Amino acid sequence: MLARDAQGRPFLDFLRAGCTFCRACLDACPEGVLAEPGRSPLAEVWIETGACLAHQGVVCVACKQACPENAVIFEGMMRPRINEACTGCGLCVPACPVEAVAWSG
Ligand code: SF4
Ligand code: SF4
């Protein structure tokens, strides 16, 4: 979701919610500053293996269940990774109980 930083500038706060690509921000911006995401991922998203419960042997599929693109793949049942189908929507970020899904961009 869009949030404001200390200077009042908007930024994507995936810890609170991901993006549904509803385009409301594009339509609302009077300056036309926001670009159409097109085929590029909105953000780079990855799993921090050192923090991820599954990588430590604990059963957890919360990120996979939150992903509308089925972009979270489990290798050997306990090693999730995010593949090229990821749109960078960030919906998996707040779903993770230990903040092991990181992003940039
Ligand atoms: S892995 Fe899925 S839920 Fe997470 S950012 Fe990528 S597309 Fe969105
Ligand atoms: S939700 Fe978090 S802890 Fe669970 S498998 Fe995904 S990245 Fe790992």
Side-chain angles (χ1 to χ4, degrees):
M1 67 175 285
L2 281 175
R4 289 180 190 273
D5 66 15
Q7 286 73 44
R9 294 176 298 215
F11 72 101
L12 282 169
D13 187 353
F14 283 162
L15 277 178
R16 294 168 67 184
C19 173
T20 62
F21 299 100
C22 72
R23 299 176 50 92
C25 55
L26 272 72
D27 295 340
C29 178
E31 307 297 335
V33 170
L34 300 173
E36 181 73 51
R39 294 178 62 85
S40 300
L42 189 59
E44 182 185 2
V45 181
W46 68 93
I47 292 172
E48 297 281 9
T49 57
C52 170
L53 295 175
H55 277 269
Q56 316 313 315
V58 177
V59 175
C60 179
V61 292
C63 54
K64 183 175 181 64
Q65 289 176 333
C67 179
E69 306 296 337
N70 198 26
V72 182
I73 304 300
F74 276 68
E75 297 173 332
M77 301 292 287
M78 303 301 259
R79 296 193 305 277
R81 67 174 178 84
I82 296 174
N83 72 15
E84 62 281 351
C86 176
T87 63
C89 71
L91 292 172
C92 56
V93 175
C96 177
V98 292
E99 297 185 11
V101 184
W103 81 95
S104 70

